[in-house]
Amino acid sequence: MAGKTMQSMRNPLARVRGLGSAKEGVHHWWAQRLTAIALVPLTIWFVISIAGLAGVDHAGAVAWIGSAPVAVLLVLLIAAVYWHAQLGVQVVIEDYVHNEAVKLTALIALKFAAIALGVASIFAVLRLAFGG
Amino acid sequence: MSADRRPLSPHLQIYKPQLTSVLSISHRATGVGLAAGLLLLTWWLLAAAAGPDSFAVVQDFLGSWLGYLILFGFSYALMFHLCNGVRHLFWDAGWGFELDTVYKSGWAVVIASVALTVLAWAIAIVSA
């Protein structure tokens, strides 16, 4: 930095402490975009399909969820959407919750809930796909 | 420049709402709503796997006035977040930052999200 014009808005102490961003580079940003791109076709497919299933009975729903291409697309959708959702809600928590203990607790609860609900959803799809 | 002398923006209440700011906060609000709405998808899938009785409980709930209200809100939020998300992806690629383009794409999002929601419900009504 010595002798050069200031090239960063970050002050020297913040640089030394490695503050800023989330200390993990662009990983969060990139993962959110990657899942967003995947979710564009998956969402369109899902909405059209689910609208076509309006008023379906149990047998019809089970047949649809368990059929091979649908089950694969549902697993992809569930994985992408829960990953995307928890990345987004994480930023909202980080922006609005300023108490460190509450923030940390909320983030841990969010990550655990997203993984648990995502895995449960995928398990339900696989169970129907494999005829459990 | 020390941290305490940096310029601050005025508080949010100072600004008149504009299409750009309203769509921006709506993207976040719909995102949070959709995340909560994922519980409904998970409930529906788990109930389908559990059997006809559990599935009937979900379908009865979704068929109630509250269920329809949630489904309608969820469907619009999803279409809005989808359309505005695509707008964000174009920005990420460096496209569409001119002020008139930002407003054009903003109105396009409003119109497309309404149209896609109507289309989805039209499919549902025809299928039911």
Side-chain angles (χ1 to χ4, degrees):
Chain A
M1 292 275 290
K4 295 177 87 175
T5 52
M6 191 174 77
Q7 292 178 334
S8 170
M9 285 295 286
R10 204 165 295 167
N11 68 37
L13 182 61
R15 288 175 69 90
V16 169
R17 285 180 175 168
L19 300 175
S21 192
K23 305 169 195 72
E24 58 168 14
V26 296
H27 176 260
H28 184 286
W29 187 92
W30 178 243
Q32 193 151 33
R33 269 65 188 175
L34 204 61
T35 50
I37 293 166
L39 283 168
V40 172
L42 286 170
T43 302
I44 293 169
W45 163 77
F46 179 74
V47 170
I48 292 171
S49 303
I50 214 78
L53 284 172
V56 74
D57 61 2
H58 181 251
V62 165
W64 181 73
I65 297 167
S67 59
V70 172
V72 172
L73 288 170
L74 279 176
V75 169
L76 291 172
L77 173 73
I78 293 160
V81 83
Y82 267 105
W83 193 5
H84 188 81
Q86 61 89 18
L87 287 171
V89 176
Q90 176 192 339
V91 176
V92 175
I93 292 170
E94 287 168 349
D95 281 355
Y96 301 138
V97 180
H98 300 306
N99 179 295
E100 202 61 31
V102 176
K103 181 168 79 180
L104 196 59
T105 308
L107 288 175
I108 292 169
L110 169 71
K111 302 282 167 171
F112 283 5
I115 291 169
L117 292 166
V119 168
S121 304
I122 290 170
F123 176 78
V125 172
L126 294 180
R127 189 174 165 188
L128 292 173
F130 297 129
Chain B
M1 185 162 39
S2 65
D4 60 341
R5 290 187 57 201
R6 286 176 187 165
L8 287 173
S9 301
H11 285 293
L12 199 59
Q13 293 89 329
I14 293 294
Y15 297 102
K16 180 183 157 196
Q18 307 166 87
L19 181 71
T20 43
S21 60
V22 170
L23 292 188
S24 174
I25 194 61
S26 298
H27 195 71
R28 174 165 282 198
T30 52
V32 172
L34 290 167
L38 281 181
L39 289 171
L40 209 57
L41 172 64
T42 295
W43 184 27
W44 191 77
L45 289 169
L46 289 176
D53 294 342
S54 309
F55 192 73
V57 174
V58 187
Q59 293 297 74
D60 284 350
F61 173 72
L62 293 177
S64 68
W65 68 268
L66 181 62
Y68 269 105
L69 190 68
I70 293 172
L71 281 179
F72 189 78
F74 187 86
S75 63
Y76 180 71
L78 185 58
M79 290 303 107
F80 173 82
H81 201 84
L82 174 70
C83 294
N84 203 49
V86 170
R87 182 168 172 245
H88 267 281
L89 288 173
F90 276 106
W91 285 336
D92 291 335
W95 183 88
F97 285 116
E98 293 298 323
L99 194 58
D100 68 320
T101 313
V102 168
Y103 272 87
K104 276 180 196 157
S105 63
W107 283 116
V109 163
V110 173
I111 293 165
S113 57
V114 172
L116 288 172
T117 307
V118 170
L119 190 65
W121 283 91
I123 294 173
I125 289 166
V126 170
S127 306

PDB file of all heavy atoms in Angstrom, chain A residues 10-24, chain B residues 3:
ATOM      1  N   ARG A  10     -11.646  -0.487   1.747  1.00  0.00           N
ATOM      2  CA  ARG A  10     -11.446  -1.143   3.036  1.00  0.00           C
ATOM      3  C   ARG A  10     -10.290  -0.479   3.767  1.00  0.00           C
ATOM      4  O   ARG A  10      -9.250  -0.214   3.153  1.00  0.00           O
ATOM      5  CB  ARG A  10     -11.141  -2.618   2.779  1.00  0.00           C
ATOM      6  CG  ARG A  10     -11.476  -3.520   3.945  1.00  0.00           C
ATOM      7  CD  ARG A  10     -11.498  -4.957   3.481  1.00  0.00           C
ATOM      8  NE  ARG A  10     -12.582  -5.186   2.524  1.00  0.00           N
ATOM      9  CZ  ARG A  10     -12.667  -6.281   1.773  1.00  0.00           C
ATOM     10  NH1 ARG A  10     -11.757  -7.215   1.834  1.00  0.00           N
ATOM     11  NH2 ARG A  10     -13.680  -6.420   0.951  1.00  0.00           N
ATOM     12  N   ASN A  11     -10.455  -0.238   5.063  1.00  0.00           N
ATOM     13  CA  ASN A  11      -9.350   0.411   5.782  1.00  0.00           C
ATOM     14  C   ASN A  11      -8.285  -0.621   6.146  1.00  0.00           C
ATOM     15  O   ASN A  11      -8.532  -1.830   6.121  1.00  0.00           O
ATOM     16  CB  ASN A  11      -9.873   1.219   6.979  1.00  0.00           C
ATOM     17  CG  ASN A  11     -10.430   0.335   8.066  1.00  0.00           C
ATOM     18  OD1 ASN A  11      -9.903  -0.738   8.329  1.00  0.00           O
ATOM     19  ND2 ASN A  11     -11.502   0.785   8.708  1.00  0.00           N
ATOM     20  N   PRO A  12      -7.067  -0.143   6.450  1.00  0.00           N
ATOM     21  CA  PRO A  12      -5.938  -1.079   6.663  1.00  0.00           C
ATOM     22  C   PRO A  12      -6.212  -2.119   7.751  1.00  0.00           C
ATOM     23  O   PRO A  12      -5.850  -3.284   7.591  1.00  0.00           O
ATOM     24  CB  PRO A  12      -4.792  -0.144   7.077  1.00  0.00           C
ATOM     25  CG  PRO A  12      -5.135   1.163   6.448  1.00  0.00           C
ATOM     26  CD  PRO A  12      -6.641   1.263   6.497  1.00  0.00           C
ATOM     27  N   LEU A  13      -6.868  -1.711   8.846  1.00  0.00           N
ATOM     28  CA  LEU A  13      -7.125  -2.666   9.930  1.00  0.00           C
ATOM     29  C   LEU A  13      -8.054  -3.782   9.449  1.00  0.00           C
ATOM     30  O   LEU A  13      -7.822  -4.967   9.733  1.00  0.00           O
ATOM     31  CB  LEU A  13      -7.750  -1.935  11.130  1.00  0.00           C
ATOM     32  CG  LEU A  13      -8.018  -2.810  12.355  1.00  0.00           C
ATOM     33  CD1 LEU A  13      -6.716  -3.406  12.878  1.00  0.00           C
ATOM     34  CD2 LEU A  13      -8.714  -2.006  13.454  1.00  0.00           C
ATOM     35  N   ALA A  14      -9.092  -3.389   8.684  1.00  0.00           N
ATOM     36  CA  ALA A  14     -10.021  -4.389   8.167  1.00  0.00           C
ATOM     37  C   ALA A  14      -9.302  -5.347   7.224  1.00  0.00           C
ATOM     38  O   ALA A  14      -9.593  -6.541   7.198  1.00  0.00           O
ATOM     39  CB  ALA A  14     -11.179  -3.695   7.447  1.00  0.00           C
ATOM     40  N   ARG A  15      -8.315  -4.803   6.468  1.00  0.00           N
ATOM     41  CA  ARG A  15      -7.549  -5.674   5.557  1.00  0.00           C
ATOM     42  C   ARG A  15      -6.720  -6.671   6.349  1.00  0.00           C
ATOM     43  O   ARG A  15      -6.677  -7.862   6.028  1.00  0.00           O
ATOM     44  CB  ARG A  15      -6.643  -4.827   4.662  1.00  0.00           C
ATOM     45  CG  ARG A  15      -7.408  -4.052   3.607  1.00  0.00           C
ATOM     46  CD  ARG A  15      -6.434  -3.147   2.849  1.00  0.00           C
ATOM     47  NE  ARG A  15      -5.518  -3.931   2.027  1.00  0.00           N
ATOM     48  CZ  ARG A  15      -5.779  -4.258   0.765  1.00  0.00           C
ATOM     49  NH1 ARG A  15      -6.928  -3.900   0.206  1.00  0.00           N
ATOM     50  NH2 ARG A  15      -4.911  -4.944   0.064  1.00  0.00           N
ATOM     51  N   VAL A  16      -6.057  -6.172   7.400  1.00  0.00           N
ATOM     52  CA  VAL A  16      -5.200  -7.036   8.214  1.00  0.00           C
ATOM     53  C   VAL A  16      -6.033  -8.149   8.856  1.00  0.00           C
ATOM     54  O   VAL A  16      -5.636  -9.310   8.906  1.00  0.00           O
ATOM     55  CB  VAL A  16      -4.471  -6.213   9.297  1.00  0.00           C
ATOM     56  CG1 VAL A  16      -3.795  -7.138  10.310  1.00  0.00           C
ATOM     57  CG2 VAL A  16      -3.435  -5.310   8.641  1.00  0.00           C
ATOM     58  N   ARG A  17      -7.212  -7.779   9.323  1.00  0.00           N
ATOM     59  CA  ARG A  17      -8.056  -8.771   9.996  1.00  0.00           C
ATOM     60  C   ARG A  17      -8.783  -9.681   9.021  1.00  0.00           C
ATOM     61  O   ARG A  17      -9.466 -10.623   9.448  1.00  0.00           O
ATOM     62  CB  ARG A  17      -9.098  -8.054  10.866  1.00  0.00           C
ATOM     63  CG  ARG A  17      -8.512  -7.469  12.139  1.00  0.00           C
ATOM     64  CD  ARG A  17      -9.598  -6.785  12.940  1.00  0.00           C
ATOM     65  NE  ARG A  17      -9.096  -6.319  14.223  1.00  0.00           N
ATOM     66  CZ  ARG A  17      -9.769  -5.484  15.018  1.00  0.00           C
ATOM     67  NH1 ARG A  17     -10.954  -5.038  14.637  1.00  0.00           N
ATOM     68  NH2 ARG A  17      -9.263  -5.103  16.152  1.00  0.00           N
ATOM     69  N   GLY A  18      -8.655  -9.385   7.729  1.00  0.00           N
ATOM     70  CA  GLY A  18      -9.309 -10.232   6.733  1.00  0.00           C
ATOM     71  C   GLY A  18     -10.817 -10.120   6.769  1.00  0.00           C
ATOM     72  O   GLY A  18     -11.539 -11.076   6.488  1.00  0.00           O
ATOM     73  N   LEU A  19     -11.307  -8.920   7.121  1.00  0.00           N
ATOM     74  CA  LEU A  19     -12.758  -8.742   7.178  1.00  0.00           C
ATOM     75  C   LEU A  19     -13.317  -8.568   5.766  1.00  0.00           C
ATOM     76  O   LEU A  19     -12.602  -8.555   4.783  1.00  0.00           O
ATOM     77  CB  LEU A  19     -13.097  -7.519   8.033  1.00  0.00           C
ATOM     78  CG  LEU A  19     -12.602  -7.593   9.488  1.00  0.00           C
ATOM     79  CD1 LEU A  19     -12.891  -6.279  10.186  1.00  0.00           C
ATOM     80  CD2 LEU A  19     -13.267  -8.742  10.215  1.00  0.00           C
ATOM     81  N   GLY A  20     -14.604  -8.401   5.725  1.00  0.00           N
ATOM     82  CA  GLY A  20     -15.232  -8.175   4.434  1.00  0.00           C
ATOM     83  C   GLY A  20     -15.637  -9.459   3.780  1.00  0.00           C
ATOM     84  O   GLY A  20     -15.130 -10.531   4.111  1.00  0.00           O
ATOM     85  N   SER A  21     -16.586  -9.341   2.839  1.00  0.00           N
ATOM     86  CA  SER A  21     -17.164 -10.497   2.177  1.00  0.00           C
ATOM     87  C   SER A  21     -17.537 -11.520   3.247  1.00  0.00           C
ATOM     88  O   SER A  21     -17.897 -11.172   4.353  1.00  0.00           O
ATOM     89  CB  SER A  21     -16.178 -11.071   1.155  1.00  0.00           C
ATOM     90  OG  SER A  21     -16.820 -12.000   0.341  1.00  0.00           O
ATOM     91  N   ALA A  22     -17.470 -12.771   2.966  1.00  0.00           N
ATOM     92  CA  ALA A  22     -17.740 -13.773   3.990  1.00  0.00           C
ATOM     93  C   ALA A  22     -16.497 -14.611   4.202  1.00  0.00           C
ATOM     94  O   ALA A  22     -16.556 -15.726   4.678  1.00  0.00           O
ATOM     95  CB  ALA A  22     -18.930 -14.638   3.604  1.00  0.00           C
ATOM     96  N   LYS A  23     -15.345 -14.066   3.818  1.00  0.00           N
ATOM     97  CA  LYS A  23     -14.051 -14.732   3.923  1.00  0.00           C
ATOM     98  C   LYS A  23     -14.005 -16.028   3.116  1.00  0.00           C
ATOM     99  O   LYS A  23     -13.268 -16.934   3.427  1.00  0.00           O
ATOM    100  CB  LYS A  23     -13.689 -15.018   5.399  1.00  0.00           C
ATOM    101  CG  LYS A  23     -13.722 -13.758   6.262  1.00  0.00           C
ATOM    102  CD  LYS A  23     -13.625 -14.094   7.731  1.00  0.00           C
ATOM    103  CE  LYS A  23     -14.026 -12.917   8.589  1.00  0.00           C
ATOM    104  NZ  LYS A  23     -15.484 -12.669   8.542  1.00  0.00           N
ATOM    105  N   GLU A  24     -14.840 -16.113   2.131  1.00  0.00           N
ATOM    106  CA  GLU A  24     -14.835 -17.329   1.315  1.00  0.00           C
ATOM    107  C   GLU A  24     -14.920 -16.985  -0.175  1.00  0.00           C
ATOM    108  O   GLU A  24     -15.384 -17.777  -0.982  1.00  0.00           O
ATOM    109  CB  GLU A  24     -16.003 -18.235   1.711  1.00  0.00           C
ATOM    110  CG  GLU A  24     -17.356 -17.553   1.578  1.00  0.00           C
ATOM    111  CD  GLU A  24     -18.522 -18.518   1.698  1.00  0.00           C
ATOM    112  OE1 GLU A  24     -18.316 -19.662   2.150  1.00  0.00           O
ATOM    113  OE2 GLU A  24     -19.630 -18.122   1.308  1.00  0.00           O
TER     114      GLU A  24
ATOM    115  N   ALA B   3     -13.151   4.943   9.254  1.00  0.00           N
ATOM    116  CA  ALA B   3     -14.474   4.369   9.032  1.00  0.00           C
ATOM    117  C   ALA B   3     -15.600   5.302   9.479  1.00  0.00           C
ATOM    118  O   ALA B   3     -16.666   5.334   8.879  1.00  0.00           O
ATOM    119  CB  ALA B   3     -14.584   3.037   9.758  1.00  0.00           C
TER     120      ALA B   3
END
